[in-house]
Structure formats: structure tokens, C-alpha cells
Amino acid sequence: MDADNPFGPEVVEAVAQHMNDDHAGDSLLIVRALGGRPDATTAETTGLDGRAIEFRASVPDGEPVTVRVPWSAPLTERAQIRAEVTRMYHEACAALGETPRGGDEEH
């Protein structure tokens, strides 16, 4: 672990697996609205560090691209990841005119 990534590989892997297994649609909304790739057709969480979450996004005209979406502030604790992803999801829904699911317990 270093200053930019206070999260060990087991945390990164667990978060990525959870996002990909349970929240793939949320990841796509985040990439489209906050990651500057409104053309993305799929998004897979590939990593994260204290500054951002990273996705591999499929786009219509080319190879998959890496999209980093920064947190609102640097993160240092695992519990902050859930809060930030939830915030990003709600922000992305608002930006795209989507109605978010009810309750934050789903993240």
C-alpha cells in the first residue's frame, strides 16, 4: 500500500467483484455520466485507489477504454468506498435523468 492506494489488493478485488457481480448497471451509469464516456455500452470495475475508481468500458467504435472517475475527496478507509460509490451512482442518475433505486442498502 502506498499514499495513492491505501487499499490492499484483497480490498480492491473484493470491491471490483461486488461491483461487477451486483452493480454492473450502476458502473455503466457512472462511466456514462461522470467518466466522460456517454457512448459506453458496458463498464467493468477493474480497480480503485485512494483517488479514484477505475473501469474498463466498451465503446461502439474501438477497443475497450480505461475510465477513471475521481472520488469527491481522497479516501483512506474501506467504509468510505461504499459511500462514494453510492454518491456517484445518485449523481450519475441525476445527470442522466434516471430514477435511482430506493435506499442505499443495495450498495
Side-chain angles (χ1 to χ4, degrees), residues 5-27:
N5 198 357
F7 308 111
E10 69 287 345
V11 171
V12 174
E13 183 178 326
V15 171
Q17 182 173 348
H18 173 71
M19 288 298 294
N20 294 330
D21 289 350
D22 298 337
H23 301 289
D26 300 357
S27 295

Side-chain angles (χ1 to χ4, degrees), residues 27-38 88 91-96:
S27 295
L28 181 57
L29 290 174
I30 291 167
V31 165
R32 286 179 172 169
L34 308 179
R37 292 308 308 227
M88 287 178 170
E91 190 176 314
C93 285
L96 296 173

Side-chain angles (χ1 to χ4, degrees), residues 36-68:
R37 292 308 308 227
D39 59 339
T41 56
T42 65
E44 176 184 11
T45 305
T46 56
L48 61 93
D49 57 34
R51 303 207 176 273
I53 189 167
E54 193 167 282
F55 304 92
R56 180 174 45 244
S58 298
V59 293
D61 52 340
E63 295 292 317
V65 296
T66 298
V67 177
R68 281 181 59 85

